[in-house]
Amino acid sequence: MKTITKLMFATTAAVCSLIAASAASAAVSISVTQSGSNVLFSGSGTFNSAVANSVGQGLSNADVDASTGYLSFGEFELINVYSLAGMARFGTGFAYIEANTGPALGFRVSDGAFYLGMSYVDNSLISSSGIVRNATLTTLGLTSGVYNYAVGGNVVTLNIGPVVAAVPEPATWLTMILGFGMMGASMRYRRRTKEVYV
């Protein structure tokens, strides 16, 4: 019985690793939220340049121009530029972003470009931030909502306004379902063996 249980768990682990290996993409999340009298910009997640199309290099800025779909914040540095797909613009306003920390992060929809600072180490956690003081989402002309873009195999999500809870990816659902299935099969097998030996 222990051998079968171990085999079932080994099979689950193998399937999960195959799913993880096939999901070579990464996800970047950018949040723009109101905090008192300030608007906060924060970036998190991971980025995999191996599944992105590099189109050059440049120099970062720290501002938002919603009418062109431009947003960039984080430290001032040289940036790598990647091809971005998605046409959603997110408002009409313009503002300079201050108190920037972390690697430069941003994109411009009108140019189809995604920016990431050269200080960023591939597949590591992104932690970038900036702030516009004495402003609101409305005075900055930002339209609340969730905007999705693709940078090769990477997903970039811009969330303006209250943070929306993340929905698990299909690979996560599959892993959970397989795990529950294996647990159920293991419990059923144990019940059967007890009935045979009693």
Side-chain angles (χ1 to χ4, degrees), residues 66-70 86-91 109-111 143 147 149 158:
S67 64
T68 62
Y70 177 74
M87 297 304 295
R89 297 183 181 169
F90 45 90
V109 172
S110 61
D111 294 341
T143 305
Y147 304 84
Y149 308 93
L158 170 64

Side-chain angles (χ1 to χ4, degrees), residues 128-146:
S128 301
S129 65
I131 188 171
V132 177
R133 293 185 172 89
N134 302 315
T136 66
L137 297 175
T138 304
T139 61
L140 293 182
L142 302 178
T143 305
S144 294
V146 178

Side-chain angles (χ1 to χ4, degrees), residues 28-123:
V28 177
S29 178
I30 299 172
S31 294
V32 183
T33 55
Q34 188 72 46
S35 178
S37 62
N38 303 319
V39 175
L40 305 180
F41 296 81
S42 61
S44 60
T46 60
F47 185 80
N48 183 358
S49 65
V51 295
N53 179 29
S54 176
V55 293
Q57 297 176 337
L59 196 57
S60 69
N61 287 320
D63 50 24
V64 56
D65 183 354
S67 64
T68 62
Y70 177 74
L71 171 62
S72 182
F73 59 98
E75 294 179 7
F76 182 73
E77 64 177 322
L78 290 172
I79 54 174
N80 289 311
V81 182
Y82 302 93
S83 184
L84 173 118
M87 297 304 295
R89 297 183 181 169
F90 45 90
T92 57
F94 175 86
Y96 292 106
I97 301 174
E98 310 172 67
N100 292 281
T101 63
L105 173 64
F107 57 89
R108 184 188 303 270
V109 172
S110 61
D111 294 341
F114 174 77
Y115 314 120
L116 193 54
M118 289 188 180
S119 65
Y120 176 73
V121 177
D122 226 27
N123 296 308

Side-chain angles (χ1 to χ4, degrees), residues 2 8 28 35 45 57 86-87 99 101 110 113 121 127 140 162-163 172 174 176 190 192:
K2 286 185 179 180
M8 290 170 69
V28 177
S35 178
Q57 297 176 337
M87 297 304 295
T101 63
S110 61
V121 177
S127 181
L140 293 182
V163 178
T172 305
L174 180 60
M176 287 172 32
R190 283 184 187 162
R192 239 190 227 161

